[in-house]
Amino acid sequence: MNRFDDPNVRAMLRAVQKPARYTGHELNAIDKSDTFFQLEDSARVHFALCFPDLYEIGMSNLAIQILYGILNEDEHTFCERVFASDFDMRQLLKEKNMPLTSLETGTALSDFDMVGISLHYEMAYTTMLEMLALGGVPLESSKRQEDDPIVVGGGPIACNLEPVADFFDFIVIGDGEEIILEIVGALKEKKKNKINRRAFLLSIADIPGVYIPSFYAIDYKENGHVERIRTLEEKAPEKLTKRLLRDINEAPMPQKPIVPNLEVVHDRMVMEVLRGCARGCRFCQAGFTYRPLRERSVETLLETADSLIEHTGYEEMGLLSLSTSDYSQLEPLVRKLLPKTEPRHINLSLPSLRLDSFDFDLAKEIAKTRRAGLTFAPEAGTQRLRDVINKNITEEEMMEAARTAFLNGWDRLKLYFMLGLPTETDDDVEGIVTLVRKFIAIWDNLPQDQRSKRLNVTVSAAFFIPKPFTPFQWSEQISVDAMREKQKQLADSLRDRRVSFSWHEYDSSVIEGVLSRGDRRLKEVLLDVWRSGAYLEAWHEHFDAALWYRALSKLPGGEAFYLKAREEQEYFPWDHLDLGVTKAFLWREWEKSQEGKTTTSCYDGCSACGNERYRTGVCPGSELGFGGSRA
Amino acid sequence: MSEITSVERQRLMLFYRRRNAASWLAHLDTMHLFERALSRAAWPIAFSVEAYNPRPMIVFALPVGVGVETLSDPVEVVICDLDGTFDVKEAVSSLNDKLPPGVKIVGYEWVDGEHKSPMARVKAACYRLEAPGIGKAFSNVYDSGEPILVKRVQKKKEVTVDLRPRLLAVLRSDGDLLELIGGAGSTDHLRVDLLLDALYQYGGLDEEAALGARITRTRVFLDAVDDEKGIIVEMA
């Protein structure tokens, strides 16, 4: 039956904001109900792909579209999407005692064979717990019965999911599209041969990229530090390696992505031009864990562009990556794309451009009609601190780029900075103000007839959060008091009618920091916070710091334990994972940062980070045959 | 953009049906849906040349509410057929292939350039409401001849509206079905959600029934409220 024929369904949809979040059936969405359920149960895998946030956020995510496409290509697999309900719908589900269901067929989460959760930020953890609970899936893997779904997690933060490790049957480390069908294949075998959960987990334990948390025990010292991580099963590898997509051109990009009917955060076609980053900014987790940098070919991208234009109808196309201007074929690509996009009134958008390699002739051609804002991320106010974080960009480069941009009609400037970086002093904070003033001076010194009328500068400051698998994983994270002080110093000095200043919330920065470098002891904290009603906490209006501080106070050391600096020899909760970069390399980088020494990008030389062993991508070390020996 | 004379521009009225999932879209989302579908189908739609943000010229005659299905709602597009190759029949069929599930073009007609804008042409709309006991609830409210007063928020102020003058005709009212013609457009527009609200408040319609009602806009009358299809049985 069509579920929209059901008056109860209509009544619920009529009672909530934006009901189209819950209806599915968008263009290019896949509904296999007519054929899939005819298959023998033992010959099919019903997969729930979950994103622990609202529809508008989840549907803006490329990973969801990629995995959805790959899974549904397989005729014995039916992948449906499940997103978090907003508060109003959640309330209705609870009142009516109804489960959280999938978009395509309205199936309860608990009725799926496998539940895959894509994790992109730590503040989604409590939402994830609520989704499992609403969907009728026992939260802890140890409590799940044979009939319950297998719950798998993955995504960019899967390099340390220890705080939520006990909620997953297994975790995927690395590129998901590389491994997902292998896992589904194993699950088909499980269903066919009617083997139990434990036997299934044992059968996948040695697949590279699979991490089964219940096969590892963590011993803690009295001071709360990890003493060691023990394997509990013979088949569980001592070191878990990431799964790496060696040939990115072999990996499909969605050619017919789902086109949401309601406005989502990123309402556009998306093409990933690069994966990984060659730069090595020392605060950036993705910059290290996605190494080596891999480029897609212009041919693949042009083919994809044709298909996207034909099958989506969007008026914007975004070229996505961690640093798009590093793409060696950017100019030829853009020159070949423009004849496809312009006649159809499609705007090209290039987020993540670095201004040191910004080509203004190219930019002008892209932005013939619309001058979008110009965004620079110097991250730090002084050259000294930029050297510490290895953001290899000089003031001269920035000023020259700004001057050219102003002369070409740009008048909106967005500047991103971080406060609380390692070794930061008051002078560095003051340096941000000086830098902003220099940008304004460049504008003021241009003849009025050569620039636009009014300059608009937005300065955004985030607080630095140390992340695993970065050289700064040893760093301390500053306290709320220190954050407040730095923010105030900046706000006081930045007063200018042309400058608007915004900053990240102190408390959520602290909690994100705790979870980022957290361990399994945080499970109880998470359960506590979730039971107190935390939900959709990535939305600042729904984040309640008091719940977290109260729960954390029950742990010895509280939040301060997780924020403090780490020792060189310290064993980290994520040390059984191997994301490609070696701990020795990261320590070398940490020491260099303390001396203010920079490191070249992979384009200019090899710093022997450990990824040479993959022998792929932009990686001079693999060509030289370092093979990781120096690491 | 090059100058385009009005001779090369032609107005085309499309009539669309939306059902099931698609009926839960807000009006703005429905507009985007059409923009994208027309783009996918590569229709030669004229673009407005205002400022820096050219928009495809697509005008809905009457916004449709969230949760309302339509059988044949009018939306006007401006075709800019420079090379004279636009074949409307083919184009409609290709558009139907490109529309998301639940949305379909069911008819079309060329619009005389003399006509007013589609929004100004709207006179009335015909609705079908299905809910348990709605016929009885309607006569409880309607038969007395008294004003049907409901409150609505307008510009942040609560105002009271009488729905009676907005009810132009009742076509059928029995059991679980109510069919009526209401005023539509800029004056005397009947909002069916407010009518359902009145039936719940004064007519004894069950709250869940009111919320779960199936609402279908079966027709939008342009230029005149005519009886060519013999559906009008009583004018209020």
Side-chain angles (χ1 to χ4, degrees):
Chain A
M1 185 182 101
N2 180 342
R3 73 187 133 116
F4 305 103
D5 288 337
D6 180 349
N8 294 316
V9 170
R10 286 201 298 265
M12 287 176 81
L13 291 172
R14 210 159 265 145
V16 298
Q17 295 283 318
K18 299 191 184 179
R21 285 167 172 164
Y22 310 106
T23 53
H25 295 83
E26 310 91 325
L27 184 81
N28 301 334
I30 293 164
D31 186 352
K32 296 187 179 179
S33 8
D34 290 345
T35 53
F36 181 77
F37 299 109
Q38 313 287 323
L39 300 169
E40 284 285 323
D41 182 61
S42 61
R44 67 187 198 207
V45 168
H46 202 186
F47 194 107
L49 186 57
C50 300
F51 192 98
D53 210 318
L54 297 179
Y55 176 92
E56 297 93 302
I57 309 292
M59 283 311 294
S60 301
N61 188 273
L62 182 60
I64 292 292
Q65 299 261 16
I66 290 178
L67 295 172
Y68 185 82
I70 294 178
L71 285 166
N72 279 318
E73 276 280 298
D74 178 30
E75 64 176 311
H76 294 277
T77 304
F78 181 15
C79 171
E80 304 195 40
R81 293 160 296 154
V82 183
F83 298 110
S85 302
D86 204 350
F87 282 84
D88 52 3
M89 182 56 103
R90 182 183 71 149
Q91 183 65 26
L92 278 181
L93 291 175
K94 285 185 167 178
E95 277 168 17
K96 295 175 186 276
N97 208 7
M98 288 168 71
L100 179 68
T101 57
S102 61
L103 284 185
E104 279 74 4
T105 62
T107 304
L109 203 54
S110 56
D111 289 341
F112 282 87
D113 296 314
M114 187 171 269
V115 169
I117 304 175
S118 187
L119 287 158
H120 297 253
Y121 31 87
E122 291 81 1
M123 298 318 290
Y125 288 163
T126 48
T127 307
M128 167 188 107
L129 294 182
E130 180 72 351
M131 284 178 75
L132 289 173
L134 275 177
V137 180
L139 295 186
E140 293 181 55
S141 61
S142 59
K143 307 252 169 76
R144 289 183 197 127
Q145 306 295 311
E146 288 304 324
D147 282 351
D148 288 317
I150 304 275
V151 180
V152 50
I157 61 167
C159 54
N160 182 30
L161 289 181
E162 289 305 294
V164 284
D166 291 325
F167 305 120
F168 289 106
D169 292 294
F170 70 103
I171 287 167
V172 165
I173 312 158
D175 297 318
E177 66 260 71
E178 171 68 16
I179 192 172
I180 191 81
L181 288 178
E182 229 172 296
I183 288 163
V184 165
L187 186 57
K188 280 183 201 155
E189 286 301 305
K190 170 196 187 296
K191 291 185 78 178
K192 198 168 85 193
N193 301 323
K194 298 197 166 48
I195 60 173
N196 65 25
R197 297 175 81 89
R198 194 184 128 73
F200 166 70
L201 291 176
L202 278 169
S203 77
I204 60 169
D206 53 0
I207 296 180
V210 167
Y211 166 33
I212 300 161
S214 60
F215 288 1
Y216 297 80
I218 321 288
D219 298 331
Y220 297 93
K221 294 181 191 168
E222 237 168 73
N223 64 5
H225 291 184
V226 174
E227 178 157 23
R228 60 183 180 143
I229 299 171
R230 284 179 291 129
T231 57
L232 300 174
E233 298 288 338
E234 217 171 290
K235 273 195 82 181
E238 290 205 359
K239 200 81 171 169
L240 293 145
T241 50
K242 76 170 166 188
R243 198 60 181 262
L244 184 96
L245 190 55
R246 298 180 65 86
D247 185 353
I248 196 161
N249 286 310
E250 289 292 307
M253 248 185 299
Q255 305 292 308
K256 287 176 73 174
I258 301 166
V259 181
N261 283 332
L262 100 154
E263 200 174 332
V264 299
V265 177
H266 294 306
D267 238 346
R268 60 186 182 208
M269 302 171 242
V270 174
M271 295 202 298
E272 182 196 39
V273 292
L274 302 176
R275 190 169 302 181
C277 183
R279 296 278 165 180
C281 301
R282 290 177 179 133
F283 54 84
C284 179
Q285 189 177 47
F288 289 103
T289 57
Y290 283 101
R291 281 187 174 194
L293 178 137
R294 289 147 286 164
E295 296 197 344
R296 287 196 197 265
S297 72
V298 173
E299 294 71 48
T300 323
L301 291 166
L302 290 174
E303 264 172 47
T304 303
D306 284 334
S307 179
L308 290 176
I309 292 169
E310 186 187 341
H311 295 295
T312 70
Y314 282 121
E315 53 182 39
E316 187 176 321
M317 176 183 283
L319 302 183
L320 204 76
S321 77
L322 292 170
S323 181
T324 302
S325 44
D326 282 344
Y327 181 47
S328 63
Q329 305 300 309
L330 185 60
E331 188 172 338
L333 174 68
V334 169
R335 297 216 186 277
K336 284 178 184 157
L337 277 177
L338 286 172
K340 296 178 189 290
T341 55
E342 274 187 344
R344 298 243 196 165
H345 303 272
I346 296 166
N347 291 307
L348 268 190
S349 106
L350 282 70
S352 310
L353 272 185
R354 281 180 61 101
L355 74 156
D356 51 348
S357 49
F358 200 56
D359 180 338
F360 278 93
D361 288 336
L362 196 60
K364 258 162 69 184
E365 211 162 313
I366 293 165
K368 267 187 187 147
T369 49
R370 278 189 227 181
R371 290 277 189 274
L374 194 65
T375 306
F376 295 158
E379 310 292 2
T382 59
Q383 193 59 48
R384 186 200 70 79
L385 193 52
R386 283 196 294 276
D387 288 346
V388 168
I389 65 176
N390 202 39
K391 185 92 191 181
N392 291 331
I393 179 169
T394 67
E395 201 171 291
E396 292 70 49
E397 287 167 332
M398 283 189 270
M399 294 307 145
E400 188 44 42
R403 212 180 81 87
T404 319
F406 294 156
L407 283 172
N408 282 295
W410 271 268
D411 54 12
R412 275 184 299 142
L413 186 63
K414 249 194 223 169
L415 300 169
Y416 287 105
F417 293 98
M418 259 189 261
L419 290 171
L421 286 163
T423 78
E424 184 190 67
T425 64
D426 285 355
D427 289 346
D428 295 307
V429 179
E430 216 44 55
I432 294 177
V433 183
T434 315
L435 192 63
V436 173
R437 293 227 175 94
K438 282 181 183 165
F439 276 114
I440 296 176
I442 295 274
W443 172 274
D444 287 339
N445 289 332
L446 288 177
Q448 282 191 17
D449 57 346
Q450 289 183 33
R451 53 159 168 81
S452 166
K453 279 200 194 93
R454 194 185 146 79
L455 176 68
N456 191 326
V457 185
T458 310
V459 176
S460 299
F463 296 103
F464 163 68
I465 298 169
K467 299 275 178 172
F469 296 102
T470 69
F472 288 170
Q473 61 183 346
W474 284 277
S475 169
E476 74 161 333
Q477 181 177 346
I478 61 169
S479 66
V480 166
D481 287 341
M483 289 179 189
R484 193 176 291 121
E485 217 164 279
K486 286 173 194 288
Q487 180 271 321
K488 205 173 163 307
Q489 184 192 347
L490 200 50
D492 286 345
S493 317
L494 267 180
R495 283 184 212 286
D496 185 309
R497 65 189 160 80
R498 291 179 285 185
V499 179
S500 50
F501 174 47
S502 65
W503 58 93
H504 205 270
E505 227 172 353
Y506 313 136
D507 293 313
S508 66
S509 304
V510 165
I511 301 307
E512 187 187 326
V514 167
L515 295 171
S516 292
R517 290 192 295 175
D519 52 34
R520 290 193 190 176
R521 298 178 311 156
L522 289 169
K523 174 183 85 174
E524 293 303 331
V525 172
L526 269 159
L527 285 171
D528 190 339
V529 173
W530 165 71
R531 282 192 201 107
S532 316
Y535 186 55
L536 294 177
E537 290 185 289
W539 299 77
H540 71 93
E541 64 267 40
H542 302 315
F543 172 75
D544 183 354
L547 302 180
W548 285 95
Y549 289 132
R550 198 188 61 204
L552 279 162
S553 70
K554 295 172 195 162
L555 266 190
E559 66 273 11
F561 172 82
Y562 294 96
L563 304 182
K564 63 179 198 276
R566 310 291 161 103
E567 307 284 328
E568 179 186 359
Q569 299 306 330
E570 201 172 320
Y571 208 100
F572 293 135
W574 53 90
D575 267 356
H576 51 320
L577 270 52
D578 174 3
L579 268 289
V581 284
T582 63
K583 204 171 175 181
F585 160 75
L586 293 172
W587 179 256
R588 284 202 305 275
E589 281 292 293
W590 169 246
E591 290 200 304
K592 281 174 84 176
S593 79
Q594 300 304 297
E595 297 159 17
K597 287 186 183 154
T598 60
T599 297
T600 57
S601 91
C602 305
Y603 286 103
D604 303 320
C606 179
S607 50
C609 71
N611 281 290
E612 312 84 73
R613 67 187 119 143
Y614 293 110
R615 297 187 181 280
T616 185
V618 176
C619 183
S622 69
E623 284 153 31
L624 292 168
F626 284 176
S629 59
R630 277 174 57 187
Chain B
M1 191 177 294
S2 58
E3 284 297 310
I4 292 157
T5 62
S6 58
V7 182
E8 290 152 337
R9 292 188 170 196
Q10 286 174 289
R11 293 164 65 182
L12 179 68
M13 190 72 84
L14 301 171
F15 297 90
Y16 74 96
R17 184 178 79 194
R18 71 169 208 182
R19 303 177 60 223
N20 298 329
S23 66
W24 295 96
L25 291 178
H27 181 59
L28 190 67
D29 296 324
T30 309
M31 287 165 63
H32 286 150
L33 183 150
F34 269 83
E35 285 179 16
R36 286 173 191 159
L38 288 161
S39 164
R40 290 190 291 269
W43 273 42
I45 299 290
F47 271 66
S48 68
V49 287
E50 287 153 37
Y52 286 117
N53 193 6
R55 305 299 314 163
M57 296 174 78
I58 304 169
V59 181
F60 285 78
L62 187 62
V64 59
V66 176
V68 177
E69 303 190 312
T70 71
L71 290 190
S72 178
D73 254 39
V75 50
E76 189 182 288
V77 299
V78 180
I79 305 292
C80 180
D81 185 22
L82 287 173
D83 51 9
T85 55
F86 184 76
D87 176 334
V88 64
K89 208 173 154 193
E90 238 172 62
V92 165
S93 136
S94 125
L95 180 59
N96 273 333
D97 289 340
K98 301 284 183 180
L99 281 163
V103 186
K104 196 181 173 196
I105 305 298
V106 294
Y108 59 87
E109 67 188 22
W110 291 105
V111 179
D112 188 332
E114 301 297 301
H115 268 300
K116 286 189 282 191
S117 81
M119 285 153 106
R121 293 175 64 190
V122 172
K123 297 293 174 218
C126 186
Y127 291 94
R128 185 169 69 217
L129 307 171
E130 294 159 82
I134 196 168
K136 177 92 174 54
F138 184 74
S139 45
N140 289 347
V141 170
Y142 189 75
D143 294 350
S144 71
E146 297 288 314
I148 307 169
L149 300 176
V150 287
K151 290 194 170 63
R152 58 179 273 208
V153 179
Q154 194 174 15
K155 291 176 185 156
K156 288 185 184 169
K157 270 198 322 210
E158 202 178 67
V159 293
T160 303
V161 190
D162 181 8
L163 298 183
R164 186 170 295 276
R166 293 155 193 255
L167 284 166
L168 304 186
V170 179
L171 309 180
R172 201 171 148 194
S173 168
D174 59 55
D176 303 340
L177 185 69
L178 172 64
E179 273 186 359
L180 52 84
I181 294 175
S186 47
T187 52
D188 285 339
H189 181 77
L190 174 75
R191 268 178 56 181
V192 277
D193 56 330
L194 293 182
L195 177 64
L196 279 165
D197 204 27
L199 299 187
Y200 156 65
Q201 278 188 55
Y202 317 121
L205 184 67
D206 183 65
E207 187 180 10
E208 282 293 304
L211 272 173
R214 175 162 228 145
I215 308 175
T216 313
R217 184 148 79 200
T218 53
R219 192 174 167 201
V220 174
F221 294 95
L222 300 173
D223 308 320
V225 185
D226 56 51
D227 60 352
E228 60 175 334
K229 290 186 181 162
I231 49 171
I232 294 189
V233 291
E234 175 205 340
M235 288 299 290

